Structure formats: structure tokens, C-alpha cells
Amino acid sequence: MSDPTPRRVLGDAGARQLANAQKTVAQTSIITPRWLPRFLSWVPVEAGVYRVNQTKNSDTAVAVVCTSKAEQELPTSYLDYVEKPREYVLSSIKSVVGVHTRITDLYNHPHDQLKEQLRLVVEHLKEKQEYELINNQDYGLLKNAAPAFRIPTRKGPPTPDDLDELLAKVWKEPAFFLAHPRTIAAFGRECTRRGVPPPTVTIFGNPFLTWRGVPLVPSDKLPISGAKGSAKSSILLIRTGEAKQGVVGLFQGGLPGEQAPGLSVRYMGIDATAIASYLVSLYCSAAVLTEDALGVLENVEIDAYHDYVWPK
């Protein structure tokens, strides 16, 4: 005979009342690898100003001769400097984080609420930093490429011929190409179609497509223009570093409340409503030391288009 006594079993819903769920920190899809700041060489500046001194270029500025042993007289010459060189002033990217003291008092376990809010805001500032390095109207790389180093693309997707032409412009130790991921995909498809698939190289533990040994670095901050199906973008080729007269990133060191180079967090106090405020600041700029350090292949066609506009 079966036992008539009903059995009572602890169910999942009841058990969960005594269990602690494993909690992650807040996840956000806006975070990207931000390769451009990692590939650039960075230079600390004083007083937020960086002056790029240059010579007045002339093929005949310096008299260079090869003399025989009998010849004694040597010509004298000198290089004149640009009298009003360009000065780059660091720009600031800022945000204010406000957290009610009640939140940090009561809900700070297992994750520090203030720390998490600051972490997320810093991620947004760093995303904006990469965007400005490319698109800023004063110091952005797209704006500062010299006319002689801009190449209007042939009709169609970016080809090996296009990148070769860009390499012929920026041929003195180029460091990397920079392009939108969809532009790199279009280039990869064109290479495959021609039977010359680009090799890959591992940098920072990640694989990158290369062309002529130069890595193609992706950034979704490169703008895409045009209607769906006929979208266009640009490809940059960059030499970097002061020693190579290349492109350099600029930051201010030794900031009050410094958390990382050029990044500071400063406590602003608690207001009458018990909101504690923190000012998060990121100071940066970029400088092109010589014209031949930066080239741009313009208006390359890609196959798809995303209606994405970076917030102002």
C-alpha cells in the first residue's frame, strides 16, 4: 500500500529566499577596446600647452658639398624656424557623478556603489576621448591631415592598390592604419576576391589584419556617411612618436586627484539634499609633428550602414 502521508518538499522559490545570488558589476555595451589611444605615443605637457616648433622647409636651405682634399673653403648655412609655430592646448572632457549618501550607506555590498559609478563614467569619458582624437574640429586626426596627404579613393571598396598608394605617402616608418571595423571588413573581402587575403599579426594579445606588414586597427569612432547601401568612410595611416616626428597624444601629468595619466577625480562636497558630487576630468589633445606623419584615404565605399550618431 502507498503511504497516505503527503510529503512536503522545499521548493526552488523558498530556497532562494536564503540564497545569495552571484552579482556582477554593471555591464554596458558602449565599452570598446579603444585601440587608438593604445597605439599612439603619449607625451606629458606642462601648463596644458604643447608647441610644435618647425623649420621653414627648403630644399636649398642647407648647402651640402663634397670636397676634395685640396679644397678648404666650406659654405655656411643655417635653417630658419617658423616664427609663429602652432600651439596645442589640452581640451577637457568632463562629467559630474552624483550619489546620494543613503545609497553608499545602505547598498555598498557586495559592490562599492561610488566606485562603480565612477568606473562607468570614466569608461564613457575614455570613449569620448577616442572620438575626439579622430573627429575634433581643432586637433582631430581627420581634420589635421594636410591636403597633399589626402587621397580621394577610386570608385568602389578599399583595395590593396589604395592602401599601397597611402603607404607611398606615409612611407617613413608607418605604425598603423586606422579604420572603421566595417571598412576593414570591406578591405578584407576585396583582398579575398583578388586572391591575396591579408595576413594577421598578434598585438596586445589580439589578432589584427595587416597590409604590407602594417596592422589595420579598428575604431568605431571613424564616421560613416551616406545612405544605406552606398555608405562611405575613411582610412588613416599614422606614424607615431616624438622621436620619429610622428603623431603624438598629449596629456597633463600630476593632476590633483589623478587616477590615470590625464584623468582626475575630485570630490566636490555634499549638498543640502545629501547628494555627494565628484568631478571627473580627462585632459587630452593630439599633435601632428610633420605633415608626412598622417595620411587619409577618403570616401571608401562599404557595403552596409548603421544610423549611429555620437552624442554631443
Side-chain angles (χ1 to χ4, degrees):
M1 294 181 61
S2 61
D3 187 353
T5 304
R7 295 184 179 181
R8 306 198 59 171
V9 180
L10 177 64
D12 288 355
R16 288 196 185 104
Q17 303 306 309
L18 298 181
N20 287 332
Q22 181 70 29
K23 304 175 184 68
T24 72
V25 297
Q27 310 294 305
T28 175
S29 61
I30 68 100
I31 299 174
T32 69
R34 299 189 292 266
W35 293 119
L36 175 58
R38 296 173 69 176
F39 274 80
L40 278 181
S41 295
W42 288 85
V43 177
V45 303
E46 295 184 11
V49 178
Y50 185 78
R51 179 182 297 162
V52 180
N53 289 313
Q54 294 180 323
T55 61
K56 294 179 179 179
N57 288 332
S58 173
D59 294 338
T60 60
V62 176
V64 179
V65 297
C66 181
T67 64
S68 65
K69 292 182 179 180
E71 294 175 326
Q72 299 298 322
E73 292 187 9
L74 294 176
T76 60
S77 58
Y78 73 99
L79 283 170
D80 201 1
Y81 304 128
V82 173
E83 295 173 357
K84 294 183 179 180
R86 179 171 178 179
E87 292 187 344
Y88 293 82
V89 179
L90 295 184
S91 68
S92 61
I93 304 170
K94 297 179 180 290
S95 185
V96 175
V97 177
V99 180
H100 200 288
T101 54
R102 181 174 182 271
I103 299 299
T104 53
D105 288 344
L106 301 180
Y107 306 111
N108 242 26
H109 184 76
H111 299 296
D112 185 311
Q113 295 285 352
L114 174 60
K115 181 180 178 181
E116 285 304 301
Q117 286 295 308
L118 291 174
R119 178 183 68 84
L120 293 169
V121 169
V122 167
E123 293 287 356
H124 278 75
L125 263 62
K126 288 185 176 180
E127 291 290 324
K128 184 65 171 175
Q129 176 194 38
E130 185 179 55
Y131 175 86
E132 293 298 328
L133 288 171
I134 296 170
N135 299 287
N136 188 278
Q137 290 301 302
D138 179 37
Y139 61 83
L141 299 183
L142 284 175
K143 177 75 173 181
N144 282 275
F149 292 87
R150 294 182 178 274
I151 303 172
T153 188
R154 303 171 179 85
K155 186 176 181 180
T159 67
D161 297 333
D162 293 324
L163 266 62
D164 281 345
E165 189 173 351
L166 195 54
L167 283 166
K169 291 282 188 180
V170 185
W171 61 271
K172 302 175 186 176
E173 300 183 86
F176 59 95
F177 295 98
L178 186 72
H180 193 281
R182 301 195 68 83
T183 306
I184 295 176
F187 174 71
R189 288 192 297 270
E190 185 65 17
C191 289
T192 301
R193 187 182 70 82
R194 295 185 175 204
V196 286
T200 61
V201 64
T202 299
I203 306 174
F204 301 124
N206 289 268
F208 294 86
L209 292 181
T210 65
W211 183 250
R212 307 297 189 193
V214 180
L216 283 82
V217 175
S219 173
D220 66 343
K221 313 307 186 301
L222 268 294
I224 295 176
S225 62
K228 186 176 181 179
S230 61
K232 296 182 178 181
S233 188
S234 299
I235 299 176
L236 286 72
L237 180 57
I238 300 167
R239 179 175 71 250
T240 187
E242 270 190 326
K244 297 180 179 180
Q245 300 186 121
V247 177
V248 294
L250 308 174
F251 72 96
Q252 179 85 22
L255 296 170
E258 187 175 67
Q259 304 297 309
L263 173 69
S264 72
V265 177
R266 303 182 72 176
Y267 176 59
M268 299 173 63
I270 302 175
D271 66 13
T273 62
I275 301 295
S277 297
Y278 298 81
L279 175 65
V280 186
S281 305
L282 181 60
Y283 296 92
C284 71
S285 187
V288 182
L289 301 188
T290 56
E291 290 186 348
D292 63 358
L294 174 63
V296 180
L297 180 65
E298 299 179 313
N299 298 319
V300 295
E301 295 183 8
I302 58 179
D303 291 338
Y305 176 72
H306 289 288
D307 296 312
Y308 180 78
V309 177
W310 187 263
K312 296 186 181 299

